[in-house]
Amino acid sequence: MRRQAVAAGVSALAILTAAPAIAEIRIGASLAITGPAAFLGDPEAKTLEMLVEELNANGGINGEEVELIVYDDGADPNKARTFATRLIEEDEVVAVIGGSSTGATMAMAPLFADYEIPFISLAGAVVIVDPVQEFVFKTPHTDRMACEKIFADITARGLSKVGLISGTDGFGASMREQCLDVAEASGVEIVADESYGATDSDMTPQLTNIAATDGIEAIVNPGFGQGPAVVTRNYAQLGLELPFYQSHGVASDAFLDLAGEAAEGLRLPATPLLIPDQLAEDDPQRQPVQDYIAAYEEKYGEKPSTFGGYAYDAFHLLVDAIERAGSTDPVEIRDALEATEGHAGVTGVYSFTPEDHMGLDLSAFRILKVADGGWKPVEE
Amino acid sequence: MSELLQFLISGITVGAIYAAIALGFTLIYNASGVVNFAQGEFVVIGGMTAAALIGAGVPVWIAAPLAVIAGMLVGVLLYRLAIRPAGQAPLVSLIIITIGASIFLRGAMQAVFDKQIHRYDGFSGDAPLRVGGATILPQSLWIIGGSVAVFAFLAWFLNRTRAGRGIRATASNRMAAALVGINTGRAMNLSFALSAAIGALAGVLATPVTFTSYDVGVLMALKGFSATMLGGVGSPLGALAGGLLIGLIEALTAGYISSDYKDASAFIVILLVLFLRPQGLFGARIMERV
Amino acid sequence: MAGQGTTVATAPVETARRAHVGNGKARALIGPGLCTFLIFAVLVALGALIFPSSYFYRVGTLVWINTLAVTGIVVLLGYVGLVSLGHAGFFAIGAYATAIGPNYGIPSPLAMAGGVALAGLLALVVGRPILRLSGYYLAIATLGLGMLIWMVLSKEAWLTGGPDGMTVSGMNARNLFKLVGLKLKSAEAWYWVAGFVAAIGAAIAVNLANSPSGRALRAIHDSDVAARSLGIDVARAKSRAFVISAIYAAVAGALLALANGYITPETGGFMHSVEMVTMAVLGGAASVFGALVGALILTALPQLLTVFADYEHMVLGAIMVVTMIAMRRGLVPFIADLWNRRKS
């Protein structure tokens, strides 16, 4: 991203000194590349950088080169808003991707309505798209859907009494609230509700309390970062044998490395990105998933994460919309984006409507379980 | 009953980590009167260096000492480049300098290592031991043992050795210490090196349980600072007691009251203690010179 | 510890004032407070003259809001010599009151006033026991207070939206200008409002420094014991400075909430407290101009450093360390000294 920013500076100079040779399409991004949400923003930034390179090598959009301008907001809403203003006013972008965190997204959102610029958020919370804002879209599943998916799996196993242990970071707190909200409608009862700080190092007291709750049948851990890995290890340390669920927040191979053998048997809702080789031949997501993984591994020498996948989908949705709009007018791009139908991404198959700016249904979410140190789909 | 035992084990494990960090604070304070807010970064340097080496295939008994040495080097550099040039700066300048140094080190670690979360296996495996219905990880014993050893070492070193007494003399009056022939420069270098080594050791021991990443230093420093002030700044016994106490308060609050407010209860206890005993639990009464 | 800081820190109050509030005659004529207000007003207008886009107004707004908050730190740290590592807590109280009020049918201006009053009241209540502490004990006590406020804001999601933060509905500064027939973009409107409030805040702080109670504060800065022997009620004077600085922080917080339209608990976090103190010390904690310079540098710097995003932390940390070593009293007194030396 540094290179892009330098390129931005250089090209700004070039514009001052000479007439621009080719018109460019500028896309902006404000991501949490450092700070507490760096494990979201870092793969997102890497993914965007990779995709832009790839796109320009293949001739750009309708023959026009694409320029990406990325800023690091460190998940600070205050910074995010300043950078969003900068992207719109100074960098004159036609669309913005980003907001790794819900706070950053919500702080930026009003600006896009003011300036009429389309914006695709990579953050999870349901408040981003409910109520729908005309210029705001998002690619990840909502935390509400994750709760519904987990609860559906729990009731399918004939269980209903659930203990929550949630991180107190934005992700964990928001998902906890959604889980409490949908519990009754999903046919489960929350009988224990504990929390832990995002960087706590021992959660055995909370787990001990949950395990001692009358009639407890399953444990769900909404959270991301290192917390869920500690919870998983503590769960194994205490020798608990209740069905154990993690969230999509840790759906990555890095989590398996941190949690080790303790993760064996746990389940979580995830995107197909984790099981590229186990997708059916006719699965529309098979192609994008395999393309993304191959390209990312080649460029960075590591596996992509679910979060990078959100950026992958946001970028392709945007490029697709610009191509269909046949114009770089932000409002026309927005209209094309909202008309997206059946776009197969790595996260799911997107169909936006004026009432739905997330465009995914529960089917894109799959319940996976950890078996033999890898991810396996749970047959329904 | 087994629940209480589990809470106590959790509290002592976490508290021992806080105590080790607080002991590092104590040593530097004793030598220089500086509370070093970059102390948390030593913990991260220890953990990240060990993780990187072990990840590269270096056996743990080589990686661990190397990580501690890396911490020591950074400690000495911190003293020479940031603390010594500051001279007799007022307290607020010293706070800003050490916080600035911690921000710098965080940035440096992000560049040298990466932004991922790391861990490695416990020294004696990860199979939990059962104690009267509760469980404890072997690594917790390493952590607790490490903190107690560091405490015993510091108590012995500061009171019983020439170098240690030199450090204390330097702290109470640098000019007088120099006049009676103590090499105050060496005493300061030594205290920063040792303090950083203690922090790095805490990181090396704790990482299998707590994990580490480039940016956990602030939190470590906050907890260690709280423990130091609760116990009374400058007292090794206070640092140990303060650390364990905060760990226990957190675990017992999480166990019996509400996990939402376990951090809050630690701060409430600190505030109450300071209202009643402004010099902390084991701190010496401060005499103001006119 | 107290003895060391004093000799260094009282001198800059004088030098900075002499160097920046103009010469004695002008001050005698219009008063130091009004003079400061006018200087700030000129700077606000100057900014507006050269800013090419809303983005610059946005950054300018943040500079003025930070200046206001840091002016409170100047009163506490520069005048009295008390370190607070928890002032972001008061900042957040102002911000959240402004955000929460409209959700319960309380209009923004009233909610703002309520938040400011609440912050002042809290400072009054906890100030007495906390301010008996000194040095690092005072630092940990204020830090603990700030952390407690931060925790309540991030845990009580029903009220505050939790760690993800909450939307601030309510007034837009544009409407204020519409009343007098001016049509401004909202970024511009907030810039003028923030600049105006910061100028008033600076003027009040300067007047305070020159009042009898300001002189009492500086006597305490020199020595608690000496001030007491002069008949100054030390505990009361400290408590007053603490309340005043909390009010500055809360007003700044309320302005940020309105200008941003969205706030998160991090506005009350430890790093924000540190940032406020750093701004004060970097610019020079002894004068309101130090507050302005510190706020300007630390607000604008990250914007300039985006090109080196990967090294932003290293640069920022290095600047903090080097400034504190080379210019212990901050930039403004340092430059003022250079200037005076050249003249003489």
Side-chain angles (χ1 to χ4, degrees):
Chain A
M1 63 235 85
R2 218 175 325 133
R3 223 169 313 121
Q4 254 97 21
V6 172
V10 171
S11 60
L13 278 179
I15 290 167
L16 288 178
T17 49
I22 39 159
E24 273 185 344
I25 302 173
R26 289 156 171 251
I27 296 174
S30 176
L31 304 166
I33 302 170
T34 59
F39 61 93
L40 300 177
D42 189 51
E44 287 164 359
K46 282 180 177 165
T47 300
L48 291 180
E49 212 171 328
M50 173 187 95
L51 291 174
V52 167
E53 243 170 62
E54 208 178 272
L55 183 70
N56 285 334
N58 294 330
I61 301 175
N62 301 337
E64 282 189 65
E65 192 143 309
V66 172
E67 188 187 1
L68 175 73
I69 300 148
V70 183
Y71 294 122
D72 174 15
D73 62 39
D76 174 356
N78 204 15
K79 272 193 184 172
R81 191 174 170 105
T82 307
F83 283 134
T85 315
R86 183 167 175 175
L87 286 169
I88 298 167
E89 289 261 345
E90 295 301 297
D91 303 321
E92 297 178 346
V93 297
V94 297
V96 175
I97 293 174
S100 306
S101 65
T102 302
T105 296
M106 295 301 285
M108 289 191 273
L111 289 173
F112 299 106
D114 287 354
Y115 288 92
E116 306 198 320
I117 303 271
F119 170 53
I120 308 180
S121 167
L122 310 179
V126 70
V127 292
I128 298 165
V129 288
D130 182 21
V132 170
Q133 305 178 58
E134 199 183 349
F135 284 85
V136 180
F137 299 80
K138 83 184 202 82
T139 51
H141 292 97
T142 64
D143 36 17
R144 194 183 185 87
M145 295 167 78
C147 294
E148 286 169 348
K149 195 78 186 176
I150 291 172
F151 290 161
D153 192 61
I154 288 176
T155 47
R157 292 163 97 175
L159 311 172
S160 69
K161 293 201 157 75
V162 173
L164 288 180
I165 175 164
S166 329
T168 53
D169 50 85
F171 183 95
S174 170
M175 182 164 165
R176 169 183 168 271
E177 211 168 298
Q178 296 303 324
C179 282
L180 290 174
D181 208 36
V182 300
E184 208 184 303
S186 309
V188 305
E189 187 187 346
I190 307 292
V191 291
D193 181 16
E194 298 278 341
S195 70
Y196 59 85
T199 46
D200 282 0
S201 44
D202 189 290
M203 287 68 149
T204 53
Q206 291 93 320
L207 284 171
T208 303
N209 274 345
I210 292 179
T213 308
D214 274 344
I216 183 94
E217 291 173 322
I219 300 179
V220 179
N221 179 197
F224 69 1
Q226 65 181 40
V230 177
V231 171
T232 305
R233 285 189 165 269
N234 288 163
Y235 171 90
Q237 177 194 337
L238 292 173
L240 301 182
E241 283 174 357
L242 295 163
F244 185 39
Y245 288 83
Q246 283 291 345
S247 73
H248 56 311
V250 295
S252 68
D253 290 340
F255 170 73
L256 288 184
D257 292 341
L258 288 177
E261 278 174 28
E264 206 63 18
L266 70 76
R267 297 185 177 194
L268 51 68
T271 67
L273 197 54
L274 292 183
I275 44 166
D277 304 325
Q278 301 169 48
L279 294 172
E281 283 293 338
D282 59 347
D283 192 315
Q285 289 183 254
R286 187 181 165 93
Q287 197 57 44
V289 164
Q290 295 194 344
D291 286 353
Y292 176 42
I293 293 175
Y296 195 91
E297 277 181 349
E298 192 190 308
K299 186 158 168 64
Y300 298 111
E302 60 190 34
K303 284 194 172 175
S305 74
T306 308
F307 320 115
Y310 301 149
Y312 182 93
D313 288 341
F315 188 80
H316 279 291
L317 282 164
L318 188 60
V319 169
D320 176 55
I322 297 173
E323 278 171 351
R324 276 188 289 112
S327 145
T328 54
D329 176 60
V331 177
E332 285 178 36
I333 296 174
R334 188 216 80 92
D335 293 344
L337 198 56
E338 195 173 69
T340 299
E341 207 176 329
H343 175 97
V346 298
T347 309
V349 180
Y350 293 88
S351 297
F352 290 131
T353 66
E355 293 79 36
D356 180 8
H357 278 193
M358 189 246 313
L360 293 172
D361 56 27
L362 278 178
S363 68
F365 245 164
R366 306 172 195 216
I367 292 282
L368 307 183
K369 71 175 172 200
V370 181
D372 306 323
W375 305 102
K376 299 278 174 311
V378 172
E379 301 304 329
E380 281 164 33
Chain B
M1 213 39 221
S2 70
E3 285 170 23
L4 173 63
L5 192 61
Q6 190 64 53
F7 301 158
L8 292 178
I9 288 173
S10 163
I12 291 173
T13 304
V14 175
I17 300 170
Y18 299 163
I21 303 165
L23 286 166
F25 270 106
T26 303
L27 185 58
I28 287 187
Y29 181 84
N30 268 335
S32 61
V34 174
V35 165
N36 173 28
F37 281 90
Q39 194 68 25
E41 308 310 320
F42 298 144
V43 182
V44 181
I45 290 170
M48 291 292 273
T49 311
L53 289 173
I54 290 169
V58 178
V60 66
W61 55 273
I62 297 177
L66 284 179
V68 172
I69 291 169
M72 272 172 108
L73 290 179
V74 176
V76 173
L77 283 178
L78 174 72
Y79 170 64
R80 299 218 165 163
L81 297 179
I83 308 293
R84 189 169 63 186
Q88 295 293 310
L91 178 128
V92 60
S93 307
L94 290 170
I95 291 179
I96 304 285
I97 287 175
T98 56
I99 289 177
S102 88
I103 293 175
F104 177 86
L105 287 173
R106 210 179 312 148
M109 275 183 288
Q110 178 195 321
V112 173
F113 300 107
D114 55 21
K115 284 177 264 184
Q116 309 296 318
I117 303 163
H118 294 276
R119 93 173 276 278
Y120 39 86
D121 289 338
F123 299 169
S124 312
D126 290 321
L129 310 170
R130 304 211 153 266
V131 196
T135 56
I136 185 167
L137 291 174
Q139 192 64 25
S140 295
L141 298 177
W142 277 97
I143 294 170
I144 297 165
S147 292
V148 173
V150 166
F151 163 72
F153 167 77
L154 269 193
W156 167 78
F157 176 75
L158 287 175
N159 293 310
R160 297 270 180 272
T161 66
R162 210 182 138 71
R165 282 198 292 262
I167 286 178
R168 287 171 60 212
T170 306
S172 64
N173 190 327
R174 188 175 301 188
M175 194 177 285
L179 283 175
V180 298
I182 291 168
N183 185 338
T184 56
R186 189 192 294 160
M188 295 291 282
N189 273 311
L190 184 63
S191 70
F192 272 84
L194 276 181
S195 172
I198 292 170
L201 179 68
V204 169
L205 292 177
T207 297
V209 173
T210 64
F211 307 161
T212 193
S213 62
Y214 80 101
D215 61 351
V216 297
V218 184
L219 194 96
M220 294 289 179
L222 272 183
K223 298 282 189 181
F225 180 47
S226 306
T228 311
M229 302 316 286
L230 177 61
V233 64
S235 150
L237 183 61
L240 185 70
L244 290 175
L245 208 55
I246 291 183
L248 284 170
I249 294 168
E250 286 181 2
L252 291 174
T253 311
Y256 288 119
I257 305 172
S258 153
S259 41
D260 266 352
Y261 278 97
K262 70 181 177 51
D263 293 314
S265 65
F267 278 111
I268 288 169
V269 169
I270 291 170
L271 286 175
L272 288 179
V273 167
L274 291 183
F275 292 166
L276 300 173
R277 265 184 79 83
Q279 71 276 33
L281 291 174
F282 295 88
R285 204 161 249 298
I286 308 158
M287 302 294 277
E288 194 181 341
R289 270 171 295 175
V290 182
Chain C
M1 202 55 84
Q4 293 159 4
T6 49
T7 37
V8 237
T10 34
V13 178
E14 290 309 316
T15 25
R17 229 152 32 88
R18 240 175 264 135
H20 290 274
V21 184
N23 60 36
K25 264 183 232 152
R27 254 194 301 145
L29 212 61
I30 54 173
L34 186 57
C35 194
T36 307
F37 179 83
L38 291 177
I39 294 175
F40 268 62
V42 168
L43 291 174
V44 175
L46 214 60
L49 272 180
I50 58 171
F51 288 164
S53 74
S54 290
Y55 162 62
F56 284 84
Y57 279 100
R58 158 82 187 160
V59 177
T61 307
L62 293 178
V63 170
W64 292 119
I65 290 175
N66 285 331
T67 303
L68 183 66
V70 177
T71 304
I73 302 288
V74 163
V75 170
L76 191 66
L77 178 65
Y79 292 3
V80 205
L82 298 172
V83 181
S84 169
L85 293 183
H87 255 57
F90 297 119
F91 189 97
I93 289 178
Y96 270 89
T98 308
I100 292 168
N103 293 352
Y104 291 87
I106 303 166
S108 289
L110 213 62
M112 228 174 132
V116 173
L118 185 66
L121 197 68
L122 181 68
L124 185 68
V125 173
V126 298
R128 281 271 169 146
I130 281 187
L131 294 168
R132 277 170 43 218
L133 304 168
S134 60
Y136 287 113
Y137 291 99
L138 178 63
I140 183 74
T142 49
L143 190 159
L145 177 68
M147 292 297 280
L148 287 175
I149 295 171
W150 173 79
M151 281 173 203
V152 171
L153 293 176
S154 42
K155 305 283 155 91
E156 300 306 318
W158 59 277
L159 191 65
T160 64
D164 274 340
M166 67 187 294
T167 302
V168 186
S169 51
M171 64 181 201
N172 188 323
R174 273 159 89 171
N175 302 337
L176 282 177
F177 292 92
K178 259 188 210 147
L179 289 179
V180 288
L182 282 169
K183 267 189 119 176
L184 291 182
K185 282 188 188 171
S186 73
E188 294 168 5
W190 282 117
Y191 174 82
W192 285 105
V193 170
F196 179 70
V197 179
I200 291 180
I204 294 174
V206 168
N207 271 344
L208 176 73
N210 291 286
S211 71
S213 59
R215 283 189 281 275
L217 293 180
R218 265 178 289 144
I220 297 170
H221 192 305
D222 291 347
S223 159
D224 269 20
V225 182
R228 208 169 285 132
S229 69
L230 289 174
I232 295 166
D233 184 344
V234 172
R236 209 180 128 173
K238 280 186 178 177
S239 160
R240 187 183 296 163
F242 196 61
V243 171
I244 291 172
S245 67
I247 288 175
Y248 271 96
V251 174
L255 277 178
L256 182 75
L258 289 172
N260 255 6
Y262 198 85
I263 46 166
T264 60
E266 295 317 312
T267 47
F270 172 64
M271 284 319 285
H272 189 213
S273 289
V274 168
E275 191 178 70
M276 282 159 67
V277 175
T278 307
M279 284 175 179
V281 178
L282 195 67
S287 80
V288 295
F289 294 96
L292 171 57
V293 171
L296 176 66
I297 292 175
L298 283 194
T299 311
L301 198 63
Q303 294 297 322
L304 298 174
L305 289 181
T306 49
V307 185
F308 313 102
D310 286 353
Y311 303 100
E312 187 187 326
H313 283 132
M314 290 173 77
V315 175
L316 191 66
I319 286 176
M320 285 165 75
V321 173
V322 170
T323 320
M324 280 303 94
I325 291 171
M327 293 167 259
R328 193 175 295 170
R329 292 182 284 120
L331 267 169
V332 168
F334 181 79
I335 293 166
D337 278 358
L338 280 185
W339 179 257
N340 286 346
R341 218 172 298 155
R342 224 193 60 180
K343 269 206 311 198
S344 60

